[in-house]
Amino acid sequence: MARTDPALVTLVVGDEELLAERAVSVVVAAARAGDAGAEVHDLVGSKVTQGELTQLTSPSLFGDRTVVVIRSAQDLVKDVIAEVVTYAANPSDDAVLVLAHPGGVKGKALVDGLKKAKAQVVTVNKVTKAGERLDFVKGEIKRAGRAISADAAQALLDAVGNDLRELAAACSQLMFDTEQKTIDVTAVARYHKGRAEVTGFNVADSAIEGRLGEALEQLRWALGTGVAPVLLVSALAGGLRSIAKVGGAPRNLRGGQLASHLGMPPWKIDRVKRQLNGWGPEGLSRAIQAVAEADEQVKGGGADPAYALEHTVQVIVASRTGR
């Protein structure tokens, strides 16, 4: 294979979800760059059966490369872990295997076995310090060939909070809505107007809690005072992501352990737990899809961002269980 190809077996370790996903995507993109026809199999650890990896990594009759991604690898059963470790010691030249493991005790035999087999290990460190989050913001802007001043980066962090997904979304939206090469604090203040008053969060909370009339009134007020539609979409998306994260968290985690696992402050977790009542997987999926469609429409895919947002709020409220 070409020298720039990824390792045949890569293990991504760490529970910083966004960065872990990106690390996996880098490996997949590198594999496909060398073979555009590569077939990608994206699997979840708990669903992988014994013999499945061997089948997927068997040489293709047409010589195409295969990429196998196993997420939540800590949930692989014992026999499959043994199969993966055995494979990693002598991997196929026609396949690329990448596994994502959050770290911790569960599935440690897999991590130890892959390290012993000389798999490439990518460690994703948790972003916990304010300086690291500022570096993340600056890095997001720099990746797009832009720059952001130090005070603007701090203002963005103050407005959005510590969640990396929300920070990444805010950076993306800020760049979409500004033209200057270096984003300054004035631009952040302009496009995050209302965030200090938690305008977008109020709309999201009202919609998620099923208060349709209140949510629509707050939405119209926010739009009327100049809050950018993309920021309202971001608030709705962030609220639904929080519901999904807290609802899917391990039941045995409490207090500080749960806060550390989710990367959310305890007060926010308590609030989201109260909002969970009335939400089921199907309704949450419909609501998230509606927000994704609204995101496309407010970024130029639709003629009326206000209508798109009102429709999305209505879908969110209607998607709650029993409505």
Side-chain angles (χ1 to χ4, degrees):
M1 295 196 303
R3 188 176 60 183
T4 55
D5 282 351
L8 296 177
V9 181
T10 299
L11 172 66
V12 177
V13 181
D15 62 352
E16 191 68 79
E17 189 177 281
L18 175 64
L19 300 183
E21 287 182 5
R22 287 183 174 179
V24 170
S25 297
V26 166
V27 178
V28 174
R32 299 197 73 179
D35 183 353
E39 185 175 4
V40 179
H41 302 273
D42 206 320
L43 311 175
V44 178
S46 61
K47 305 288 181 145
V48 180
T49 58
Q50 189 174 7
E52 188 171 3
L53 176 64
T54 301
Q55 180 181 358
L56 292 175
T57 56
S58 296
S60 167
L61 292 175
F62 303 100
D64 292 331
R65 171 177 289 176
T66 299
V67 181
V68 180
V69 178
I70 301 180
R71 304 181 192 274
S72 300
Q74 75 278 8
D75 294 329
L76 291 170
V77 298
K78 183 177 179 180
D79 289 342
V80 176
I81 288 177
E83 181 183 355
V84 170
V85 171
T86 299
Y87 172 83
N90 186 28
S92 168
D93 289 335
D94 297 321
V96 171
L97 172 63
V98 54
L99 306 99
H101 188 290
V105 176
K106 188 177 183 182
K108 188 172 183 296
L110 173 71
V111 175
D112 292 343
L114 290 176
K115 288 181 177 178
K116 187 176 181 180
K118 306 299 183 184
Q120 175 172 284
V121 178
V122 177
T123 301
V124 176
N125 295 317
K126 195 78 174 175
V127 176
T128 58
K129 298 178 181 178
E132 293 172 341
R133 287 188 285 271
L134 283 172
D135 288 341
F136 175 81
V137 168
K138 294 173 184 177
E140 287 294 288
I141 304 297
K142 186 177 180 180
R143 286 172 60 194
R146 307 272 290 277
I148 184 169
S149 65
D151 55 349
Q154 183 63 60
L156 187 63
L157 187 61
D158 292 341
V160 177
N162 297 334
D163 185 89
L164 290 196
R165 284 192 184 279
E166 294 185 14
L167 282 171
C171 288
S172 176
Q173 291 161 1
L174 187 60
M175 289 186 288
F176 181 85
D177 286 321
T178 59
E179 296 181 354
Q180 65 262 48
K181 180 72 174 179
T182 299
I183 298 170
D184 57 23
V185 70
T186 302
V188 174
R190 181 169 65 251
Y191 287 98
H192 284 267
K193 181 180 179 181
R195 289 301 287 266
E197 295 84 13
V198 205
T199 301
F201 292 137
N202 284 343
V203 174
D205 286 344
S206 296
I208 288 169
E209 293 167 12
R211 303 192 302 272
L212 178 59
E214 186 176 329
L216 290 175
E217 181 180 356
Q218 291 171 336
L219 173 64
R220 290 161 188 156
W221 181 88
L223 291 170
T225 57
V227 179
V230 289
L231 297 179
L232 291 164
V233 171
S234 177
L236 292 169
L240 291 171
R241 281 198 303 270
S242 294
I243 291 287
K245 287 175 68 174
V246 174
R251 295 290 182 261
N252 62 324
L253 296 182
R254 297 287 187 276
Q257 284 186 323
L258 180 59
S260 177
H261 176 78
L262 294 175
M264 296 167 60
W267 64 264
K268 185 173 182 179
I269 294 174
D270 291 340
R271 188 189 71 195
V272 175
K273 282 183 176 179
R274 293 192 294 270
Q275 294 175 329
L276 271 171
N277 184 37
W279 282 101
E282 292 184 2
L284 186 58
S285 177
R286 286 195 298 271
I288 291 174
Q289 179 60 39
V291 172
E293 292 172 359
D295 184 63
E296 180 182 357
Q297 291 177 21
V298 302
K299 290 180 178 177
D304 190 343
Y307 172 79
L309 281 163
E310 288 194 9
H311 175 70
T312 302
V313 166
Q314 292 169 343
V315 172
I316 290 172
V317 173
S319 296
R320 299 178 78 245
T321 303
R323 291 181 178 269

